[in-house]
Amino acid sequence: MLNKYFYCFVISMVPLIELRGAIPIAQAFHTADPSFNMLAAYIIIAIGNMIPVPIIFFFARRVLEWGADGVVIPHCKTAEMARRSVEGAKFAPLGRRGGESNVRAAGFGYHNFDWNAYIEQQNRDTLVIPMDEDFEFTDNIDEILDVPGIDAVNFGPIDYAVSKQLKIGYSMGEEVHEAYKTLVAKCR
């Protein structure tokens, strides 16, 4: 039974899947076994959903070595979070990403592998994309956008509205629209 709770916990931490994936899985476990405690599952899922940013810092290097073209940083609220994201995704002088040549992104270090060219190419081509999905991002927008190594920003209107405790619907109102317009203006 514990492995089912652990599975829900891990799924809730995965960016983009998060609650959207963990809650239906927990409901499926409960349907298959009514002794599966949904309240405990919801608590575990909520805790897991609060952990994705440290998980991204920890796994950014591994994901990039597998050949990903970048990382999306959910719930980036401060310039420090943005700096830590760049630090994990970029090599020096932009970051502190560790190196490994026996990985897909480095062509598995095959014939005449050139570390300097690889580092230059990875720093140029690897994208770091923080998510503006909390009012704190908008409050700190100038400091976040000043972080060297940020390549783009993605806006999350639903999460932004939730962070402001606004009504969510097809059109989320002027406050969400203003936050989006601020982001677009500052990114130009």
Side-chain angles (χ1 to χ4, degrees):
M1 181 73 74
L2 284 178
N3 60 348
K4 291 179 182 177
Y5 292 111
F6 180 73
Y7 187 70
C8 290
F9 177 76
V10 170
I11 293 296
S12 71
M13 290 190 302
V14 177
L16 301 178
I17 298 174
E18 302 171 343
L19 301 176
R20 292 175 282 264
I23 290 174
I25 288 171
Q27 290 171 336
F29 285 150
H30 179 70
T31 301
D33 179 4
S35 69
F36 183 78
N37 185 330
M38 284 302 293
L39 179 58
Y42 286 145
I43 292 169
I44 289 166
I45 289 168
I47 292 168
N49 189 243
M50 292 185 241
I51 302 178
V53 172
I55 293 298
I56 288 171
F57 296 148
F58 183 72
F59 286 112
R61 173 183 167 198
R62 185 67 52 205
V63 169
L64 294 170
E65 288 173 350
W66 291 336
D69 292 326
V71 290
V72 176
I73 312 302
H75 299 286
C76 183
K77 299 175 186 170
T78 65
E80 179 59 25
M81 291 174 83
R83 269 190 288 283
R84 299 255 339 259
S85 301
V86 170
E87 186 177 288
K90 304 274 187 174
F91 290 106
L94 296 172
R96 296 297 305 254
R97 176 176 161 189
E100 171 62 57
S101 63
N102 191 25
V103 294
R104 181 178 178 270
F108 300 103
Y110 198 64
H111 295 295
N112 301 319
F113 177 73
D114 182 343
W115 264 106
N116 295 315
Y118 174 66
I119 288 171
E120 182 181 322
Q121 177 266 326
Q122 286 289 292
N123 278 351
R124 181 186 62 242
D125 296 345
T126 299
L127 301 175
V128 177
I129 306 169
M131 292 282 299
D132 177 356
E133 54 188 347
D134 296 281
F135 69 87
E136 294 93 341
F137 186 103
T138 303
D139 291 349
N140 299 312
I141 193 166
D142 291 323
E143 294 85 8
I144 292 170
L145 295 178
D146 283 343
V147 173
I150 297 295
D151 299 294
V153 176
N154 192 5
F155 187 69
I158 293 173
D159 285 333
Y160 182 86
V162 169
S163 79
K164 295 288 283 184
Q165 300 178 4
L166 301 173
K167 185 177 178 184
I168 298 172
Y170 184 72
S171 173
M172 287 191 249
E174 194 57 32
E175 196 168 350
V176 174
H177 187 65
E178 285 300 317
Y180 176 71
K181 287 186 346 188
T182 298
L183 175 65
V184 169
K186 298 278 186 174
C187 286
R188 288 184 185 228

